[in-house]
Amino acid sequence: MPVILQHELIELLAQHEKYVRGGNGGKRLDLSMQTGHELDFHGKDLTGAEFVGSFLNHSNFSHACLQQANFFGATLNNANFLEADLTQADLRGAQMQGVNFTNAIMNEANLADGSLLRRGQSGELGPIHNVDAKLRLSQAVFKNVTAQRAKFSSAITLSTDLSLANFKGAKLTGVNFTGSNLRGVTFESADLRGCNFSNTNMNSTILLGANLDGAVFEGADLTASLVEPQAVGSRVFSHVKKMSKSLENLEYSIKEIIANHKVWVNTLGREGKRADLVDLNLSRVVLDGVQFQAASLKRSLLDGASFKDAVFTMSDLSGCNARGASFVKADCRGTNFSMSRLDGADLQHADCSCMMISGSATPIEWPATFAGSNLQNANLRGTNLKGARFESAMLEKTDFRDANLEGACLMDANLTGADLRGANLTNADLRGAIGVKT
């Protein structure tokens, strides 16, 4: 099998660039059945390139455009596809153990089965790869990946990190997700027939419109997840570890909880009772103006709920699912929204700055945190986010117009398509952040 070296690749990439642009002297990149080790394709436009049966272990495809590229039967173990665009790419039968797909776009990509054959010495046909098909994607990372309408092989086992991935409309029939981290994953309208979700973390996942025939959820944590109402309590979810609790199962009514919490706040904890709404289903509730200082709403389902002008100072909403919820003009100073789902939420003109904690010689500034959260398409226009923390948050197409992000930490956040017009980014930490356009 021919070997391709980096210095040889440079000229081939230049020819492919001309090919993509339709210029003279252009030629499609074709590394089919060639071997290259640790080759660097970083940031290149490789649209329509051919890699059939190639051996490219440890190669770097980060930030590359690989739309409609053909990797059929390729060996790509430990390759880096960080933030690469693999839209409609052919990855059938490819060996991708340990591959990093973090923040990659894989819409309509094909990761189904496929076998590249070769003729042996005695003339018989046999597969080039003799690796167990179930291990094709072992230890691969799909964190924050967008793979709408993608196709996966039923033989694949995905015990890996797929947190915040978007598999809307994807064909995942029979995939084994046992033990995977599926926090915040979107499976809306996906084909999940026969999938195994045993012992998975499925906090804040979306399963609306998904085909769950024959799917197994034994030991799965589905708190704050959105499922079809008729499916709740059905046989398919009979062996889950946890699901959101309904208001009907509480000892006190929500009005009593709010009243007791107000007494608890006003008496500094001497009387009343702190609001404990952990794992509770509050979907679509209207609690505008509610006083929930220092309340606990961890892993609560707040989909479409309304908390306009509410007070959540120093409250814990970590791991909650507040997709499409309204926090307009809410007081969220020092609030913990880490690892939460806030996609499409409305936080216009909310105060999510630091909470000043006195009681010592030097007051402490306690920041609001959205670390690891999904705020895609959220509206934070005019929001006070001074000193807020957004490490590794998904902020694609988030509206930050006229927001105050002074001193905010946006390390490793994904800001692709975010609107930052008029935003105050003075002293903001943008190290490792992607897609920043001011």
Side-chain angles (χ1 to χ4, degrees):
M1 185 174 285
V3 176
I4 182 74
L5 302 177
Q6 185 67 42
H7 73 272
E8 298 172 318
L9 179 62
I10 293 174
E11 176 58 29
L12 297 177
L13 291 173
Q15 292 176 2
H16 186 78
E17 184 177 356
K18 292 179 182 178
Y19 165 80
V20 172
R21 294 179 178 179
N24 294 328
K27 184 180 179 181
R28 183 199 298 265
L29 178 66
D30 190 348
L31 299 183
S32 298
M33 304 306 294
Q34 297 188 52
T35 297
H37 188 68
E38 297 184 356
L39 293 180
D40 188 4
F41 299 90
H42 171 82
K44 300 299 182 182
D45 188 345
L46 303 168
T47 302
E50 294 285 338
F51 300 98
V52 176
S54 56
F55 282 73
L56 299 170
N57 293 337
H58 298 278
S59 290
N60 182 13
F61 291 94
S62 61
H63 302 92
C65 180
L66 293 154
Q67 295 184 14
Q68 298 180 334
N70 188 357
F71 288 97
F72 182 85
T75 300
L76 302 163
N77 296 327
N78 298 302
N80 183 9
F81 286 91
L82 173 71
E83 297 169 31
D85 186 350
L86 288 150
T87 300
Q88 295 184 339
D90 188 347
L91 293 155
R92 288 175 298 160
Q95 300 297 313
M96 296 174 284
Q97 297 179 32
V99 167
N100 181 12
F101 288 111
T102 301
N103 286 329
I105 299 172
M106 303 181 73
N107 294 331
E108 300 182 24
N110 193 345
L111 292 86
D113 292 328
S115 185
L116 197 62
L117 304 178
R118 62 181 171 188
R119 192 174 299 279
Q121 293 181 350
S122 59
E124 76 285 0
L125 289 176
I128 289 179
H129 305 299
N130 290 312
V131 181
D132 188 342
K134 294 181 180 179
L135 302 177
R136 276 179 51 209
L137 284 165
S138 64
Q139 299 183 340
V141 177
F142 286 84
K143 187 176 182 179
N144 301 349
V145 75
T146 300
Q148 297 187 45
R149 300 176 301 281
K151 296 179 181 179
F152 283 73
S153 165
S154 60
I156 290 176
T157 298
L158 290 176
S159 297
T160 185
D161 187 355
L162 295 101
S163 56
L164 305 185
N166 186 348
F167 292 116
K168 184 176 181 179
K171 184 175 177 58
L172 296 156
T173 311
V175 172
N176 186 356
F177 292 97
T178 301
S180 294
N181 180 8
L182 301 172
R183 177 185 65 85
V185 172
T186 297
F187 287 116
E188 190 171 358
S189 302
D191 188 347
L192 304 176
R193 289 174 296 169
C195 287
N196 189 345
F197 294 102
S198 297
N199 302 314
T200 53
N201 173 12
M202 299 187 73
N203 171 249
S204 295
T205 58
I206 307 296
L207 292 164
L208 298 176
N211 189 336
L212 303 177
D213 291 348
V216 177
F217 292 89
E218 186 169 359
D221 181 352
L222 282 157
T223 49
S225 291
L226 275 174
V227 300
E228 297 292 351
Q230 63 271 22
V232 178
S234 66
R235 182 178 179 182
V236 70
F237 294 125
S238 60
H239 294 96
V240 300
K241 182 179 179 181
K242 285 194 297 184
M243 291 190 78
S244 297
K245 297 178 293 187
S246 66
L247 286 169
E248 290 74 19
N249 294 330
L250 296 180
E251 182 180 357
Y252 301 99
S253 70
I254 189 67
K255 290 184 178 180
E256 291 173 316
I257 291 172
I258 293 171
N260 287 334
H261 185 78
K262 186 175 182 179
V263 173
W264 180 80
V265 171
N266 292 338
T267 63
L268 301 178
R270 291 188 297 272
E271 299 178 27
K273 187 177 181 182
R274 181 193 184 202
D276 183 356
L277 303 172
V278 175
D279 297 339
L280 190 63
N281 185 352
L282 291 170
S283 182
R284 305 292 172 183
V285 299
V286 177
L287 293 174
D288 295 339
V290 70
Q291 303 288 307
F292 268 159
Q293 302 97 318
S296 180
L297 289 87
K298 291 178 64 175
R299 301 184 303 276
S300 53
L301 179 56
L302 309 174
D303 174 69
S306 182
F307 299 104
K308 297 176 182 177
D309 299 302
V311 179
F312 285 102
T313 52
M314 299 299 292
S315 292
D316 188 354
L317 282 82
S318 59
C320 75
N321 183 350
R323 188 180 79 152
S326 175
F327 294 89
V328 173
K329 296 182 180 180
D331 187 348
C332 297
R333 288 172 294 160
T335 303
N336 182 5
F337 283 105
S338 62
M339 309 296 246
S340 293
R341 183 158 200 154
L342 290 154
D343 45 323
D346 191 348
L347 289 90
Q348 288 185 84
H349 304 291
D351 189 351
C352 300
S353 59
C354 298
M355 184 70 180
M356 299 299 295
I357 302 176
S358 56
S360 60
T362 305
I364 299 172
E365 291 188 345
W366 193 274
T369 178
F370 298 87
S373 293
N374 179 358
L375 289 102
Q376 291 175 300
N377 297 296
N379 190 345
L380 283 81
R381 188 170 186 177
T383 304
N384 186 359
L385 299 161
K386 185 177 181 180
R389 308 193 68 89
F390 290 94
E391 295 98 326
S392 301
M394 289 287 285
L395 306 172
E396 290 182 285
K397 298 181 180 178
T398 303
D399 189 349
F400 284 108
R401 283 178 292 173
D402 303 316
N404 183 7
L405 287 158
E406 181 181 354
C409 182
L410 294 151
M411 287 179 61
D412 301 317
N414 186 343
L415 287 150
T416 304
D419 193 340
L420 292 160
R421 287 176 294 173
N424 180 4
L425 290 163
T426 304
N427 296 324
D429 189 346
L430 292 162
R431 287 176 295 171
I434 64 171
V436 181
K437 291 183 180 180
T438 58

